[in-house]
Amino acid sequence: MIFLKKLNDFLLYLLIFSATFEYWDPFGIAGTITIARMVTVLYVMSSLPFFKQYLRFRFLKQYVVPLFFLVLAGIFSTIVNDIYVLDLIEIFNTRFIQLALLMVLITAHTVTNKTVLQNALKVYVLSLLITALLLMAGVGITYHSGRLFLFGENANLTGFKSVLAILIVIGGVAGQKVSLKKWVLSILLILPLLMLLIASASRGALLSLFLGLFFMLVLLKVKVVKKIVLIAVGLFFSIYFINYIMVNDRDFAKRIESTIKNAETGGRTKLWESAERVIQDNFIFGVGHSGVNPAMLKYGQKAELPHNIFLEIWLTSGILGVFFFSLFLWRIAKKLWDRYRQTGQVLGLVLFLVILANLSKSGGAIGIIFAWIFFALLIASTTQIEEISSNIYEKKGVNERL
């Protein structure tokens, strides 16, 4: 059983690592069998011996119930809009259901072992560092419409994932008493991640980095003088980094200039306006899972998801779906805030806010695996062992760093 548990832990790390290569399709099967999906299957299979143990965790109910009703809302909305339904399977968002269940499994797995939880974050950072090295070596690079795609992944996602890794590294040292050696090591880790961010030319990722740094500096519980110094350092870095991009990466600079001068959002504004028009005519029930693309095409001449998770859920699951998803997010946010007030640990709250900001601008965000992995890790980081309805574990908190 010890071997099986170690195997289960290893496959969790491998899953988190593979989430960085979520869209890599090495066998060329049109994305149906990606590396991330194969590892997910292996991880779930390795968890089978522990299902009974995991399912005893009653604390998960507060997160599972809103997601369950979100699924029901989507089914109901799709049935109401049956004119768009061509096949029975279309009434379900199978991808979302799979990821929600995976989130529950990862939460139950990591909540009882702070070492696994901490290692999961380290593995995530390692995966982005390796991605940066592969970029430098010219491996896995393709270009579509002038934008970089690493292992088949959209440049915006690559940039955002690098931002999360940067914030995790900074969160490990900011506001804490650490040696000069650890600060130097952290800077050396951040440099290739910044390079990866620049290569992505993602304006959203760049904004996410600045937002994350801002949230972290505001929320850090340190002495006033130290906070002033950190804010000054953060401001200097931000100005220097923007200037470096504008001078050394002309393509990225043009995208930034376009946003500043023309409020250009990469076509998102038109998608949001189209989604709003659809919602105005389908305020209560939306248009269901099958109706999104036809409705977006009808109201906006483009059959594409609205690049905002709340608009997407409103379209697919109606106003009730938005309510239940917001309730799910609120419960995570409240736990993270309570833990921040009790311990001063800021990283979890910062990661949540930045992820939420990114989900508000990403297409198909509800089906992105790494977002649900982070939801799982954040929930686990806020849950104390004594909250779990099981007496087989020692009663002590999990994760002292998130």
Side-chain angles (χ1 to χ4, degrees), residues 271-283:
L271 290 173
W272 295 336
E273 290 172 350
S274 300
E276 288 172 3
R277 288 194 290 270
V278 177
I279 290 169
Q280 286 174 3
D281 288 347
N282 302 272
F283 188 82

Side-chain angles (χ1 to χ4, degrees), residues 223 316 324 384:
K223 294 180 179 179
T316 61
F324 288 120
Q384 303 299 316

Side-chain angles (χ1 to χ4, degrees), residues 242-303:
I242 282 286
N243 184 67
Y244 179 86
I245 292 172
M246 300 303 286
V247 172
N248 295 281
D249 193 311
R250 193 57 202 154
D251 291 335
F252 200 173
K254 286 181 180 178
R255 290 171 57 79
I256 295 173
E257 290 170 356
S258 176
T259 299
I260 295 172
K261 293 179 180 179
N262 307 316
E264 201 271 323
T265 60
R268 291 182 180 85
T269 301
K270 292 183 179 179
L271 290 173
W272 295 336
E273 290 172 350
S274 300
E276 288 172 3
R277 288 194 290 270
V278 177
I279 290 169
Q280 286 174 3
D281 288 347
N282 302 272
F283 188 82
I284 302 298
F285 300 115
V287 293
H289 299 304
S290 302
V292 175
N293 285 339
M296 289 291 286
L297 181 62
K298 176 182 177 182
Y299 285 80
Q301 289 77 52
K302 195 171 184 181

Side-chain angles (χ1 to χ4, degrees), residues 1 4-5 7-8 11 40-55 105 109:
M1 188 61 73
L4 292 178
K5 191 67 180 74
L7 178 63
N8 188 221
L11 287 173
T40 299
V41 172
L42 293 174
Y43 171 66
V44 172
M45 290 176 62
S46 73
S47 300
L48 290 176
F50 310 102
F51 266 20
K52 185 177 179 180
Q53 170 184 314
Y54 293 160
L55 292 176
L105 181 59
H109 181 169

Side-chain angles (χ1 to χ4, degrees), residues 340-351:
Y340 163 69
R341 292 179 60 189
Q342 294 168 4
T343 67
Q345 296 295 326
V346 70
L347 180 58
L349 191 57
V350 169
L351 292 178

